[in-house]
Amino acid sequence: MGTHWQIDTLEELDIEIRGALRTVIADYDQGFSRFRQDSVVSQAGAVPGYYRLPQAAASLEPLYRSLYRLTEGAMTPLITGSLEHLGYDADYTLRAQPGFLPSPDWAEAIDWHGTRLQTKQPVVLDVGAAGKGQLVDLLAAELERHGVGNYVIDASGDLFAQGLTLRVGLEHPLDPSTAIGVVELDHGYPAICASASNRRSWGAGLHHVLDGSTGKPVQTVLASWALAQDAMQADALATALFFTDHATLAKEFDFASVRMFSTGRAEISDNFDGEIF
C-alpha cells in the first residue's frame, strides 16, 4: 500500500492467518489502487463506462457522498487529476504544472452507487482519504474471523486497537521527534487516524491534501487527528477536518478530534478524552 504496516498480536499468527491477511490486502489493492494500471479504478478512469467495484465500495460511497456535501466539494474522490497536475502522479514525477486544477463535479463526472460505478469522462476514483482506514477494518475483521481478539493494527499511524488500551502520542507536524499531546484508544473509540501536510510534500507549499473545489493544497491546517468506532471513518474524518470543523462533521458522525493550524493553535473537540500539552 505504499507505506509501512504492522500488526501486533499476543501470540504469533500461523501461516493460514498470515496468508488470509495478505489476500485481503492484495484484493483491496487490485480494486482501488490508482498507482497500478490493472486496478479497477484505473481501468474505469482510462475508458469511461460502467464498472463493478469491489464490495468494500458499498461502504465507501455513502461516506464520500456525505463528506463531499459537508465540505461543499472540497473533499472529493475525484481529486486524482488535481494531484497529478501538481506532480503527484502514479510515477511520482513530482513536477508541478503551472496553476491549479479544480476537481470535476461529482454529478457530471461519475454516477456511483455502492459497487456500481459509471465514469462519464476519463477520471480516476481516488479513495485514498478513507481507503487505508477501511483496509485496517477489513484486516481487523479477518483477525476476528480467525479467533484473534487482542491486537493492534498500525497502518503507518492509522491505528486500531482491540482487546487492550493503547496510549498514543500525537506527532507534532513540524517536529516528528515530539508530540503535541496523548490520547488512549479504548472500547469507546478504538481507532485513531491522522492526516498531516508534512507527510507527503514535494515543493514549496505543495502537499497531498488538496481542496477539490480549487485544486490548491490547504495552507491553514497543518495536521488533524480523528478518533472513531472504525478506522475507515477516522481516516476520512481526519482528512475532512482540513476543510471544515468538528461541529459540522459531528452533525452526521460520532467522533472526537484535534486539529492544528499553521498559526500553532490547536482546536480540540469537547469529547476528546486526552491531553494536549
Side-chain angles (χ1 to χ4, degrees):
M1 301 300 291
T3 189
H4 176 77
W5 284 62
Q6 180 169 316
I7 300 175
D8 290 287
T9 56
L10 296 180
E11 299 179 1
E12 185 173 357
L13 301 179
D14 62 34
I15 190 169
E16 178 186 355
I17 301 176
R18 289 170 180 261
L21 294 172
R22 291 193 179 98
T23 297
V24 171
I25 295 170
D27 288 348
Y28 199 90
D29 195 53
Q30 175 71 54
F32 294 111
S33 175
R34 71 178 182 88
F35 293 95
R36 47 187 295 178
Q37 294 182 350
D38 63 339
S39 72
V40 177
V41 295
S42 292
Q43 293 173 9
V47 181
Y50 293 89
Y51 293 87
R52 178 68 67 177
L53 297 171
Q55 186 57 41
S59 299
L60 287 168
E61 179 261 323
L63 175 64
Y64 267 100
R65 192 177 294 275
S66 294
L67 294 175
Y68 182 82
R69 172 173 43 81
L70 291 171
T71 62
E72 299 181 343
M75 181 171 170
T76 171
L78 304 176
I79 199 68
T80 298
S82 304
L83 286 167
E84 292 178 345
H85 182 80
L86 294 181
Y88 195 63
D89 51 29
D91 297 323
Y92 291 106
T93 59
L94 305 182
R95 291 192 297 270
Q97 300 179 52
F100 302 98
L101 179 66
S103 299
D105 178 77
W106 181 310
E108 295 179 359
I110 60 171
D111 185 17
W112 181 16
H113 295 283
T115 61
R116 294 182 294 108
L117 173 68
Q118 178 194 7
T119 49
K120 304 175 184 179
Q121 55 184 270
V123 59
V124 176
L125 199 69
D126 186 340
V127 301
K132 189 169 66 167
Q134 185 181 46
L135 183 53
V136 169
D137 295 335
L138 293 172
L139 293 176
E142 192 67 20
L143 289 171
E144 297 283 348
R145 191 173 72 83
H146 284 86
V148 181
N150 298 281
Y151 54 85
V152 175
I153 302 175
D154 179 358
S156 189
D158 288 1
L159 297 166
F160 186 91
Q162 178 63 37
L164 47 83
T165 298
L166 186 68
R167 187 171 169 85
V168 179
L170 309 182
E171 180 185 296
H172 195 303
L174 300 179
D175 184 0
S177 67
T178 63
I180 70 165
V182 293
V183 67
E184 289 188 349
L185 299 185
D186 54 30
H187 63 277
Y189 290 131
I192 183 171
C193 294
S195 185
S197 59
N198 67 310
R199 281 302 182 98
R200 297 175 189 171
S201 60
W202 58 92
L206 298 179
H207 58 78
H208 73 292
V209 186
L210 307 188
D211 182 331
S213 64
T214 64
K216 298 180 180 180
V218 178
Q219 304 298 334
T220 52
V221 179
L222 288 181
S224 63
W225 297 263
L227 295 96
Q229 283 288 337
D230 60 71
M232 179 182 72
Q233 288 193 68
D235 194 12
L237 291 166
T239 299
L241 285 166
F242 271 72
F243 312 115
T244 190
D245 58 21
H246 181 97
T248 299
L249 298 170
K251 295 175 182 177
E252 300 184 24
F253 296 95
D254 174 20
F255 74 112
S257 71
V258 175
R259 62 175 179 168
M260 182 175 172
F261 295 87
S262 56
T263 60
R265 180 173 67 90
E267 182 180 86
I268 308 157
S269 67
D270 292 338
N271 62 341
F272 176 75
D273 190 19
E275 178 185 3
I276 299 299
F277 305 143

